[in-house]
């Protein structure tokens, strides 16, 4: 749990942040443990969040919705100056990156779907010929990966 620098007031309780963001308190604590969110502590050891935490949580949720792993979201946030909450320009840039990653995952899933379509009505599950058993259409030679153990 870090102290928030910059002298800006942290006024939101975790309950406020949960209510306004629609994210459960447990998820907010989880984000904090993972280093995605930061808070100050009151003298009574209560968490307080700055108002920009709302936008930060919105960024995390939208990124997660696109399927971005938390570790990658953390890396993206850490790449911003002073780990600031993404500005409009930051989000425009990062969302372009997320879009490219989404395109790659869609292409990979379409490839997988095509391979699976070839299996429908087949049933061979051949380690030699089934595309899903051997996605690159070749058996690894001495490297990591599945080996042919039957035909
Ligand atoms: S099950 Fe026969 S090609 Fe996949």
């Amino acid at each position: 749990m870090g102290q928030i620098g910059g002298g800006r007031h942290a006024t939101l309780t975790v309950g406020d942040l949960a209510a306004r963001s629609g994210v459960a308190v447990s998820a907010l604590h989880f984000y904090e443990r993972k280093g995605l969110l930061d808070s100050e502590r009151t003298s009574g050891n209560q968490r307080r969040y700055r108002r920009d935490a709302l936008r930060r949580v919105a960024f995390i949720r939208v990124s997660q919705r696109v399927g971005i792993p938390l570790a990658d979201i953390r890396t993206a946030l850490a790449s911003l100056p002073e780990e600031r909450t993404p500005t409009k320009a930051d989000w425009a840039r990062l969302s372009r990156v997320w879009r490219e990653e989404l395109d790659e995952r869609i292409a990979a899933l379409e490839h997988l779907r095509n391979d699976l379509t070839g299996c429908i009505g087949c049933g061979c599950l051949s380690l030699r010929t089934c595309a899903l058993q051997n996605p690159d259409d070749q058996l690894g030679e001495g490297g990591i990966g599945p080996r042919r153990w039957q035909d």
Side-chain angles (χ1 to χ4, degrees), residues 115 118-120 122-126 129-132:
D115 287 348
C119 296
I120 294 173
C122 175
C124 72
L125 287 174
S126 165
T129 59
C130 177
L132 289 175

Side-chain angles (χ1 to χ4, degrees), residues 13 24-25 35 49-50 63 80 83 95 108 117 126 134 146:
T13 65
V25 168
Y49 299 87
R50 290 196 323 245
S63 301
L80 300 176
E83 299 200 25
S95 58
T117 299
S126 165
N134 196 18

Side-chain angles (χ1 to χ4, degrees), residues 17 21 23 27-38 49 52-77 84-86 91 94 98:
L17 189 55
S21 66
V23 174
L28 295 173
H29 288 169
F30 181 72
Y31 292 160
E32 202 162 335
R33 281 199 304 278
K34 294 292 178 184
L36 294 153
L37 195 59
D38 208 353
Y49 299 87
D52 69 350
L54 268 170
R55 181 175 171 85
R56 197 170 181 89
V57 170
F59 168 77
I60 296 166
R61 296 303 276 188
V62 167
S63 301
Q64 278 192 298
R65 185 145 175 72
V66 179
I68 306 300
L70 277 184
D72 291 355
I73 299 172
R74 172 80 192 94
T75 300
L77 287 169
R84 69 186 173 208
T85 293
W91 171 234
L94 288 168
W98 288 175

